[in-house]
Amino acid sequence: MASATHELTLEEANANPAPENLVVRFAGDSGDGMQLTGGQFTLATALAGNDLATFPDFPAEIRAPQGTLFGVSAFQINFGSTAIETAGDQPDVLIAMNPAALKVNVQQLKTGGLIIADEGEFTARNLAKAGYEVSPLTDNSLAKWQVIAFNISQMTLDAVKPFGLGNKEALRCKNMWTLGLACWMFDRERGPLVDWLKTKFASAPVLADANIAALNAGHAYGETAELGPSVKQHSMPAAPAEPGLYRTVTGAEAIAMGLVAGTQLAGLKMFFGGYPITPASAILHYLSRLKEFGVTTFQAEDEIAAISSAIGASYAGSLGVTSSSGPGIALKGEAMGLAIMTELPLVIINSQRGGPSTGLPTKTEQSDLYQAVYGRNGDAPMPVIAARSPSDAFDVAIEAVRLAVRYMTPVMLLTDGYIANAAEPWKVPDTDAFEPFPVTFAEAREGEHFLPYGRDEKLARPWVKPGTPGLIHRIGGIEKAVETGHIDYSPANHQAMTKFRRMKIDGIADDIPPQDVTLGEDRGKLVIVGWGSTFGPIHQAVRRQRAKGRDVHHIHIRHIWPLPRNLGALLKNYDRVVVPEMNSGQLKTVLRDQYLVDARSIAKVSGQPFRIAEIEAAIESYLS
């Protein structure tokens, strides 16, 4: 076992009290099970009562060559005894399963942070694959961090030897050995993990026993080996929380459950037409397990068929839902125009990823806002709303359903790869507290001529189930005559129908809450305006800067289009408006266009979420 440690003086220890949160990153080859390890450590952490946020970061390649930089998979978790709203800026602990994992991730580790490395994987061949000429464990290149290296691979082989597994199968257990060590380091219970392994390998009890043995061996090693002061047990107190039932939830899970809740509140069945695409595919996976709630899922042959089938379902009286990422949303564009023209309810989920084109399929970005607000041919407006976190995605999905059925319109719900894959604790809501918004389908009335494009006070047209006696009408993609629905593409009629469709969407601004100030006051020197997954780092950065006495405030927008009625007046109460976005400044441009405010942009398009420190630095710069 190789180690390098720094002995803390009493003065240093007193100057650095026990932290309220810790950031741990597991990193290894994509075949090392780092996402599985991180997921189970998340479960153990949630059961310990800590607040948490996670960031799975996996390679874009389906299966990069083992041991290469392209194949590194990582899972970061930030947990603590206080409110946690981001996955953390820099890890305190990096567990690196091979040289490539170390090289890709080490520069993000805090100075003085701890590296735990599997010495058994630092072979000449693996070092060469990672671009190392000599082992970083021995050349003093890691001097600014604490380093401890031992042969995890060999100790895993020793732990599972009694079960008669081959070398390859045995080494697959080393993620459980690592998880066992992490459970010891952070005082986590192993019981739930043992139960999970028994369930996972119920049909192969030998594999269950081998993985449990590896888990216990890693835990025992932490207890019995004298690893030095750099590796010690941390006991993190539980975070304060309101009483209630909690569970961890990813953004994809929350959207699936929110869609189900929304259709139940509307009294509808749901049809989901989708086509696999990263990072949106998980929504289809989760919904396919919820058939008992009136959910029908259909994996179509392509993106166009997926949205077209959903439109057909809405025409038939169910709520059509479709989901994709930016490239697939582009393919759905013409069909979205059809849904807007026919004025049928439809929910479209865009789990944004890096772009353009196929982009960075496993990385996160917010670069589809223009596409969501403007990206259709003709004047074809639709409501656009954005979730700010995994748990918030549940409420936003319900809101998308409400707007779609109330205003007979497609609605786009924006998330991104970070929200879709990340997890956080979620207090399961009391379903009795939700206000239903039941749908009423049109029925024939004696002596009344049916007008399929006759409108109510919200300018929404009636929803008709096919086959309803007396309500035969035309529907399709060519312009309809006002009220009657007959084909009419005369200039005056097109002008009128375009105006009605725009006025209907603009009127939604009267049916959404006024924009609030998330943190701070409704006037001041500087306001940081965010949307989507930038919420966590913005909120933490503003909170820290306000604690230093700085005049900075936070506004976070859920309803992207139409914008809240009071937003323009609110923004003009601040001397400076700054918008951090994971794009080149798209919301900033929309705010300038709509309100003529001198909004400035903090742009980041690296495929990684914002760090708190980046936004803090921007705040200090603007206020100075």
Side-chain angles (χ1 to χ4, degrees):
M1 179 180 72
S3 64
T5 62
H6 167 65
E7 295 288 347
L8 291 177
T9 66
L10 182 61
E11 290 76 13
E12 288 174 322
N14 290 334
N16 296 278
E20 294 181 331
N21 70 294
L22 287 167
V23 182
V24 179
R25 177 174 290 194
F26 300 89
D29 191 76
S30 57
D32 286 337
M34 293 296 95
Q35 304 304 321
L36 190 71
T37 305
Q40 292 309 302
F41 186 74
T42 298
L43 171 64
T45 299
L47 291 172
N50 296 135
D51 199 9
L52 62 93
T54 70
F55 176 42
D57 189 13
F58 35 82
E61 288 73 15
I62 292 174
R63 190 65 179 94
Q66 191 169 3
T68 62
L69 301 178
F70 299 106
V72 172
S73 176
F75 187 100
Q76 183 164 305
I77 177 172
N78 181 13
F79 60 95
S81 57
T82 58
I84 301 294
E85 288 162 340
T86 78
D89 278 11
Q90 294 178 285
D92 299 286
V93 179
L94 170 63
I95 300 175
M97 304 300 285
N98 63 13
L102 179 66
K103 189 167 192 175
V104 168
N105 292 282
V106 70
Q107 294 303 326
Q108 298 175 52
L109 187 66
K110 288 180 181 175
T111 300
L114 172 63
I115 298 169
I116 297 176
D118 181 3
E119 195 175 41
E121 289 293 319
F122 281 68
T123 62
R125 186 164 181 258
N126 285 345
L127 289 167
K129 286 182 182 179
Y132 284 117
E133 293 183 4
V134 296
S135 173
L137 301 180
T138 59
D139 69 355
N140 206 38
S141 61
L142 306 177
K144 65 179 180 179
W145 299 288
Q146 302 176 78
V147 182
I148 181 163
F150 41 84
N151 198 330
I152 294 175
S153 297
Q154 185 57 54
M155 285 188 279
T156 301
L157 292 173
D158 294 341
V160 304
K161 187 176 181 180
F163 302 97
L165 302 180
N167 234 38
K168 187 175 181 180
E169 279 188 312
L171 284 173
R172 285 178 179 162
C173 300
K174 70 178 181 178
N175 63 331
M176 288 298 108
W177 195 101
T178 306
L179 181 58
L181 178 65
C183 285
W184 172 79
M185 284 181 64
F186 302 106
D187 197 19
R188 301 284 176 252
E189 294 290 335
R190 284 167 289 156
L193 305 179
V194 170
D195 294 339
W196 172 79
L197 285 167
K198 287 179 178 178
T199 302
K200 179 177 176 61
F201 295 109
S203 60
V206 172
L207 292 179
D209 292 341
N211 278 280
I212 291 168
L215 178 77
N216 290 333
H219 191 277
Y221 187 80
E223 279 186 315
T224 58
E226 295 185 5
L227 301 178
S230 56
V231 181
K232 57 185 179 181
Q233 198 168 35
H234 298 267
S235 185
M236 185 72 66
E242 295 178 4
L245 175 64
Y246 286 81
R247 58 160 291 180
T248 58
V249 69
T250 66
E253 288 175 313
I255 285 175
M257 291 187 287
L259 290 170
V260 170
T263 50
Q264 295 285 308
L265 292 169
L268 295 172
K269 292 184 178 180
M270 185 206 311
F271 176 92
F272 182 93
Y275 180 75
I277 183 170
T278 302
S281 301
I283 297 171
L284 171 59
H285 302 162
Y286 291 123
L287 283 173
S288 65
R289 304 170 193 165
L290 301 175
K291 293 181 174 64
E292 67 269 28
F293 295 105
V295 177
T296 299
T297 53
F298 169 57
Q299 181 174 313
E301 64 269 28
D302 57 40
E303 296 283 10
I304 299 171
I307 187 172
S308 297
S309 65
I311 292 171
S314 290
Y315 172 68
S318 294
L319 179 68
V321 181
T322 192
S323 171
S324 193
S325 299
I329 296 296
L331 292 169
K332 296 178 190 289
E334 185 180 6
M336 280 189 263
L338 172 63
I340 291 168
M341 168 83 60
T342 55
E343 299 188 48
L344 286 168
L346 181 72
V347 175
I348 304 153
I349 301 148
N350 182 353
S351 301
Q352 302 165 94
R353 70 191 205 187
S357 188
T358 52
L360 294 80
T362 65
K363 308 305 177 184
T364 193
E365 211 164 275
Q366 293 179 299
S367 52
D368 294 348
L369 186 141
Y370 285 162
Q371 182 186 42
V373 175
Y374 306 118
R376 289 160 297 282
N377 60 293
D379 281 316
M382 72 162 76
V384 179
I385 57 178
R388 73 186 192 183
S389 68
S391 58
D392 184 56
F394 176 83
D395 295 315
V396 173
I398 294 176
E399 175 70 349
V401 174
R402 185 186 75 86
L403 293 177
V405 299
R406 181 64 192 87
Y407 289 87
M408 293 294 288
T409 178
V411 176
M412 188 172 290
L413 192 168
L414 294 175
T415 71
D416 57 44
Y418 180 43
I419 291 175
N421 296 320
E424 66 180 4
W426 173 56
K427 184 181 179 184
V428 179
D430 178 6
T431 54
D432 293 336
F434 289 108
E435 184 177 347
F437 40 89
V439 167
T440 301
F441 290 95
E443 298 288 345
R445 296 181 182 178
E446 189 174 345
E448 184 177 297
H449 179 65
F450 177 58
L451 298 174
Y453 281 86
R455 300 176 185 277
D456 64 12
E457 73 284 358
K458 302 283 190 184
L459 299 183
R461 78 172 188 87
W463 194 358
V464 185
K465 285 188 178 181
T468 304
L471 300 186
I472 296 173
H473 62 284
R474 289 185 176 88
I475 195 166
I478 300 180
E479 187 63 279
K480 310 295 176 300
V482 174
E483 292 192 332
T484 68
H486 300 323
I487 293 173
D488 184 348
Y489 44 86
S490 64
N493 183 75
H494 181 54
Q495 178 83 41
M497 287 298 281
T498 300
K499 177 183 177 182
F500 277 129
R501 289 189 290 263
R502 175 182 57 78
M503 290 173 60
K504 178 176 69 171
I505 302 306
D506 289 348
I508 291 174
D510 296 323
D511 196 20
I512 60 177
Q515 182 62 54
D516 63 348
V517 179
T518 311
L519 182 61
E521 289 80 49
D522 62 1
R523 60 193 65 246
K525 287 185 178 180
L526 174 65
V527 63
I528 308 298
V529 180
W531 67 280
S533 66
T534 57
F535 174 82
I538 292 174
H539 204 64
Q540 292 280 25
V542 171
R543 179 183 292 158
R544 291 179 184 181
Q545 290 293 306
R546 286 180 61 82
K548 296 176 182 178
R550 294 193 168 92
D551 188 0
V552 60
H553 315 268
H554 177 199
I555 289 174
H556 215 76
I557 302 173
R558 169 181 284 184
H559 293 86
I560 304 296
W561 197 264
L563 291 160
R565 288 275 188 234
N566 67 324
L567 181 59
L570 183 59
L571 294 179
K572 290 176 181 177
N573 289 339
Y574 301 95
D575 296 341
R576 289 176 178 266
V577 177
V578 175
V579 187
E581 298 179 81
M582 291 183 289
N583 58 46
S584 297
Q586 296 184 16
L587 180 65
K588 173 264 297 179
T589 304
V590 172
L591 296 179
R592 284 185 167 195
D593 167 60
Q594 293 296 303
Y595 305 124
L596 300 179
V597 295
D598 185 21
R600 302 298 180 92
S601 179
I602 306 173
K604 182 173 184 177
V605 284
S606 65
Q608 299 290 318
F610 272 103
R611 292 167 52 188
I612 301 168
E614 291 171 330
I615 298 175
E616 280 202 87
I619 291 171
E620 292 173 356
S621 173
Y622 276 103
L623 286 177
S624 65

